Amino acid sequence: MLSLKKSIYPVILTVLVLSGLFLGTTTASSENIPEPSCVCADCGKPCGSGHASTCIYR
């Protein structure tokens, strides 16, 4: 029983370290997020730039 405890702790420690490294490298950052590319359904102008004078949503 003693040898089983001695051999399981290094395995658990290795799994914890590897999972920490994996999670540390897969976090999202603000530089990876693309700019939104939405447009108005009626006039086709980009969101936030205002609407055309003929747009029904103006």
Side-chain angles (χ1 to χ4, degrees):
M1 184 69 175
L2 184 60
S3 64
L4 179 63
K5 282 186 177 180
K6 282 186 177 181
S7 64
I8 197 74
Y9 290 126
V11 171
I12 292 173
L13 183 62
T14 303
V15 168
L16 288 174
V17 168
L18 290 176
S19 64
L21 289 173
F22 177 74
L23 290 174
T25 59
T26 58
T27 57
S29 66
S30 61
E31 51 193 46
N32 294 341
I33 300 171
E35 290 292 321
S37 58
C38 63
V39 295
C40 175
D42 189 58
C43 63
K45 288 194 130 193
C47 294
S49 65
H51 295 278
S53 60
T54 58
C55 182
I56 60 173
Y57 298 110
R58 185 172 57 101

